């Protein structure tokens, strides 16, 4: 279902890696018993961070700053200082950061390579 939602038709290596990442994130969020709003916000966050790598060519430091902005204000009642993810508790925010550290930021160079390196396609046939 997620493959269809992401509109991955040919399942290249890049699409397979992204599908695996989104699926793992979805399963983790379900295990955390996130509400539908929280689950949607978490998946948006995953997409946002990957787009920062793929489209905006952000460095790890820049992407971490963007994560900080998005998560600012969690647990704070001052709505003017809040980011977009205020529906998470402080404990959930800490768990999200831990998850992102082990799933995305630890492998940041590999994701940069995935999005920005030219790869040769080897064609193998019986001819």
């Amino acid at each position: 279902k997620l493959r269809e939602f992401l509109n991955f038709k040919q399942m290249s290596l890049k699409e397979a890696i992204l599908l695996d990442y989104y699926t793992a994130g979805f399963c983790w969020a379900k295990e955390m018993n996130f509400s539908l709003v929280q689950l949607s916000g978490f998946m948006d966050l995953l997409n946002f961070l990957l787009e920062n790598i793929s489209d905006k060519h952000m460095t790890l430091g820049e992407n971490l700053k963007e994560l900080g902005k998005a998560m600012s204000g969690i647990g704070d009642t001052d709505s003017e200082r809040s980011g977009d993810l205020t529906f998470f508790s402080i404990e959930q925010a800490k768990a999200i950061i831990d998850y992102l550290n082990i799933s995305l930021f630890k492998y940041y160079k590999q994701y940069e390579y995935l999005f920005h390196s030219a790869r040769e396609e080897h064609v193998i046939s019986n001819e």
Side-chain angles (χ1 to χ4, degrees):
K1 295 282 184 191
L2 192 54
R3 179 180 172 191
E4 292 172 15
F5 179 77
L6 294 170
N7 201 24
F8 290 166
K9 297 183 192 275
Q10 296 181 349
M11 278 309 278
S12 65
L13 179 60
K14 179 180 175 180
E15 289 178 341
I17 291 168
L18 293 175
L19 180 62
D20 181 63
Y21 187 72
Y22 285 120
T23 301
F26 181 84
C27 291
W28 179 83
K30 289 293 284 180
E31 289 175 8
M32 292 293 295
N33 294 317
F34 286 172
S35 69
L36 289 177
V37 171
Q38 291 171 326
L39 183 60
S40 176
F42 177 71
M43 296 304 289
D44 283 344
L45 181 63
L46 293 183
N47 187 58
F48 171 71
L49 296 171
L50 286 175
E51 283 181 349
N52 286 346
I53 301 170
S54 66
D55 299 343
K56 297 177 184 174
H57 298 259
M58 284 189 180
T59 65
L60 175 58
E62 293 168 334
N63 217 352
L64 285 169
K65 285 180 186 177
E66 290 299 311
L67 174 62
K69 288 178 191 175
M71 298 190 87
S72 66
I74 292 177
D76 194 354
T77 57
D78 184 6
S79 62
E80 289 183 20
R81 292 179 33 203
S82 297
D84 296 335
L85 303 172
T86 56
F87 41 78
F88 289 114
S89 69
I90 293 172
E91 291 77 25
Q92 289 170 324
K94 288 178 184 177
I96 289 168
I97 291 169
D98 288 343
Y99 177 80
L100 292 171
N101 277 329
I102 63 168
S103 67
L104 178 66
F105 298 134
K106 182 177 179 180
Y107 303 103
Y108 204 82
K109 290 286 185 199
Q110 286 90 338
Y111 283 102
E112 287 177 320
Y113 182 80
L114 174 71
F115 289 119
H116 303 299
S117 70
R119 288 172 292 285
E120 292 182 29
E121 290 191 26
H122 299 280
V123 177
I124 300 174
S125 69
N126 292 333
E127 295 178 10

